[in-house]
Amino acid sequence: MTGNLLEIRDLHKRYGEVEVLKGVDCTMAQGDVISIIGSSGSGKTTMLRCINMLEEFQGGSIRIDGEEIGYDTAGGTRRRKKEKEIARQRAMTGMAFQQFNLFPHMSAAENVMLGLVKVKKMARDEARIVAEKWLDRVGLAERRDRFPSQLSGGQQQRVAIARAIAMNPKLMLFDEVTSALDPELVNEVLQVIKDLARDGMSMLLVTHEMRFAYEVSSRVIFMNQGRIGEEGNPREMFLKPQTERLAEFLKTSTFN
Amino acid sequence: MELVTFFETLWLARIPIIKGIGVTVSISVLAILVGTILGIGVGLALTYGNRPLRWLVRGYTDFIRGTPVLVLVLASYYVLGTVGIDLGPFQAGVLALAVFCSSHVGEIVRGALQSIPKGQTEAAKAIGLTFPQTFAYVLGPQALRQVLPAWVNTAAEMVKASTLLSIIGVAELLLRTQELISRTFMSLEFYFFAGFLYFVINYGIERFGRYVERKTSIPS
């Protein structure tokens, strides 16, 4: 045990011939809020998706709280863990997606309850209380019985965040959660994330919202062509970029 | 008066006609039931099976769907006997219809499952659901809603296809009607009447489908 919450070592990921992650190392401690920025195709979303095994990876290792994710590499051989084991490990992290991905046939409360009842084996009444608590936290207590199609994009995304957080994950993964939203709905979602950060939730965010990354992060990682191009605290990164690449990238990003 | 004669004849023939309806309904229900269960398996195999399984099942569905139902019925009755599987006309007929039904339901199920966005599976995985759980609570219920209209259609087709079993001597509604006509020569009246009964059965299926659709629809 190193005491790190997340430890990524030499992560390699290929799609056929194309190598999208070319050896990524990253550690984060409990309570860290890390934003991953970079141009599209730089591998930031892929890296996030490897952490909860939505993507397979071919080399390196990922550990959460010291536990090796997805594969067993002890003794020199590399074997994918059993599906059931991977499902259990996925529940250690929570994830919010660009497209929300709420279950359309369930109400907001049922969306949040599903994992609690089926994965955490909570009784329905108990799960409902937890679900309502979290829906309240994201400001949607009175919409708990609405279906996703009856909610705005921002509301859907907040339900999706509640669904992930209610599972009490060790680490939250946010994958461009505001990219699919109308501009006027972005803030309500960012506010929810800020509140969670303030409460000490450990999180990794892939984002294009530079000001938000600047304000909320304890550290920023700039991904460039499948590698970490630069990392540091947001102030240094945004104000005094060390690499040409990052300076270039920041110039083309809007900072609002 | 011809109408009076028709009703008198109908009354006298009521027992065989009711029996015919009973047989038609039994054939249809059995074929739809067995065909649907098989079809769900076919659909799952086509969507989630590994390559050899997919190819095998793809071959099965393409072959069955490309074959006339009548040929399946005749083959089931006459050909299976030569390889030692001796089925009565009723069993052979139901088997043929169920197999036919399964290939259609399989395609419907595959289409419905594949139309569900990948994000649904990913969201389910992300909260720690296993695949069987994902299917039971996330994919299945969504697929069911999509499948319903096409499934009702297939069910109605099966009722119509059950008439083909008259060829191998199953005394279903059409064969009973034909026997009646050969005795009374009232072909126009009784063919029309039989047609009406088939319509009533299928209309019932359609109403039932609509009802389930309404009951399971997602509020918007």
Side-chain angles (χ1 to χ4, degrees):
Chain A
M1 271 301 275
T2 52
N4 282 325
L5 171 66
L6 175 71
E7 213 180 294
I8 300 177
R9 288 276 163 262
D10 198 27
L11 182 64
H12 286 264
K13 159 77 185 169
R14 272 191 310 274
Y15 290 107
E17 295 289 289
V18 189
E19 193 166 36
V20 281
L21 295 178
K22 302 167 183 167
V24 173
D25 292 270
C26 168
T27 57
M28 78 186 271
Q30 181 72 43
D32 277 356
V33 176
I34 299 181
S35 292
I36 308 172
I37 60 172
S39 45
S40 62
S42 60
K44 45 194 198 310
T45 288
T46 306
M47 173 181 160
L48 207 66
R49 289 164 58 87
C50 285
I51 295 171
N52 65 355
M53 282 295 281
L54 286 184
E55 300 287 349
E56 312 277 317
F57 51 94
Q58 286 77 33
S61 67
I62 298 174
R63 285 170 190 278
I64 295 175
D65 256 357
E67 185 176 330
E68 188 159 11
I69 300 296
Y71 302 87
D72 286 312
T73 55
T77 57
R78 191 163 188 278
R79 190 180 291 136
R80 197 175 187 275
K81 289 184 196 276
K82 292 207 172 70
E83 226 26 77
K84 217 173 161 182
E85 180 69 3
I86 289 174
R88 184 188 64 75
Q89 291 188 327
R90 284 193 181 115
M92 292 162 63
T93 57
M95 188 171 202
F97 300 84
Q98 187 176 350
Q99 300 295 340
F100 333 136
N101 298 341
L102 288 180
F103 307 131
H105 57 299
M106 296 180 188
S107 69
E110 287 166 341
N111 263 279
V112 181
M113 288 166 65
L114 183 66
L116 298 172
V117 173
K118 301 301 172 191
V119 178
K120 298 247 174 207
K121 310 289 178 203
M122 225 178 247
R124 279 193 76 84
D125 304 348
E126 198 188 338
R128 180 162 280 277
I129 292 168
V130 175
E132 283 173 7
K133 183 188 99 183
W134 281 107
L135 286 173
D136 189 30
R137 272 294 303 274
V138 299
L140 291 171
E142 76 286 6
R143 315 246 156 174
R144 58 177 180 245
D145 294 321
R146 299 287 180 88
F147 284 76
S149 56
Q150 300 170 318
L151 299 170
S152 73
Q155 292 169 338
Q156 289 188 51
Q157 190 59 290
R158 286 187 279 153
V159 173
I161 292 171
R163 174 176 70 182
I165 292 281
M167 295 293 287
N168 194 20
K170 294 175 195 278
L171 168 66
M172 265 303 293
L173 309 169
F174 292 91
D175 185 12
E176 299 190 24
V177 286
T178 56
S179 300
L181 292 175
D182 292 336
E184 73 269 23
L185 301 177
V186 168
N187 267 329
E188 59 186 76
V189 173
L190 294 185
Q191 193 54 50
V192 165
I193 299 174
K194 272 183 195 165
D195 290 346
L196 291 170
R198 197 170 307 126
D199 290 352
M201 185 80 217
S202 312
M203 46 178 101
L204 258 177
L205 311 112
V206 169
T207 185
H208 292 296
E209 304 283 339
M210 293 303 152
R211 172 164 293 279
F212 175 71
Y214 179 80
E215 286 169 4
V216 80
S217 319
S218 50
R219 191 147 50 99
V220 175
I221 291 176
F222 170 61
M223 292 284 289
N224 184 35
Q225 297 181 344
R227 290 193 176 86
I228 291 183
E230 197 173 329
E231 66 175 298
N233 73 51
R235 180 167 282 275
E236 285 170 8
M237 291 278 288
F238 286 118
L239 301 181
K240 282 180 278 178
Q242 300 296 303
T243 59
E244 191 78 15
R245 282 288 185 182
L246 176 57
E248 196 91 335
F249 173 74
L250 290 175
K251 229 181 278 173
T252 58
S253 320
T254 47
F255 201 92
N256 52 18
Chain B
M1 186 71 192
E2 283 205 4
L3 203 59
V4 175
T5 332
F6 169 72
F7 279 115
E8 272 174 11
T9 319
L10 184 62
W11 179 250
L12 289 173
R14 66 190 185 280
I15 302 295
I17 286 177
I18 288 169
K19 278 186 180 165
I21 293 173
V23 173
T24 288
V25 170
S26 322
I27 295 167
S28 308
V29 167
L30 280 171
I32 293 167
L33 204 70
V34 176
T36 299
I37 293 168
L38 283 176
I40 291 171
V42 167
L44 286 175
L46 285 176
T47 318
Y48 303 115
N50 58 22
R51 191 172 298 219
L53 180 65
R54 273 204 323 265
W55 280 30
L56 195 74
V57 177
R58 167 61 51 213
Y60 165 84
T61 52
D62 284 354
F63 179 72
I64 299 295
R65 293 203 311 157
T67 312
V69 199
L70 181 56
V71 173
L72 290 176
V73 171
L74 293 172
S76 173
Y77 186 50
Y78 292 111
V79 181
L80 283 184
T82 63
V83 294
I85 306 168
D86 240 333
L87 298 177
F90 181 85
Q91 295 155 310
V94 166
L95 175 69
L97 293 186
V99 163
F100 182 71
C101 183
S102 76
S103 68
H104 282 261
V105 171
E107 282 296 331
I108 296 168
V109 169
R110 180 192 60 79
L113 286 171
Q114 286 182 346
S115 75
I116 299 174
K118 236 177 78 194
Q120 291 290 305
T121 309
E122 292 185 348
K125 279 181 176 173
I127 55 173
L129 294 182
T130 60
F131 183 75
Q133 287 175 324
T134 302
F135 185 78
Y137 308 118
V138 176
L139 303 178
Q142 290 184 58
L144 183 73
R145 290 171 172 87
Q146 294 213 33
V147 156
L148 215 56
W151 182 83
V152 166
N153 213 9
T154 302
E157 287 300 323
M158 299 317 296
V159 174
K160 292 188 240 170
S162 73
T163 54
L164 295 170
L165 272 58
S166 63
I167 305 281
I168 54 172
V170 177
E172 42 68 77
L173 182 56
L174 180 63
L175 190 63
R176 295 287 190 184
T177 307
Q178 285 173 327
E179 284 169 359
L180 189 61
I181 290 168
S182 66
R183 270 191 288 124
T184 61
F185 301 105
M186 298 172 73
S187 56
L188 177 72
E189 293 86 339
F190 281 106
Y191 274 131
F192 188 81
F193 182 66
F196 173 72
L197 290 176
Y198 281 110
F199 167 77
V200 168
I201 295 172
N202 278 340
Y203 189 71
I205 292 178
E206 200 219 342
R207 297 308 308 176
F208 174 71
R210 287 273 169 81
Y211 171 78
V212 178
E213 243 177 277
R214 222 176 24 248
K215 277 281 161 194
T216 58
S217 77
I218 298 162
S220 60

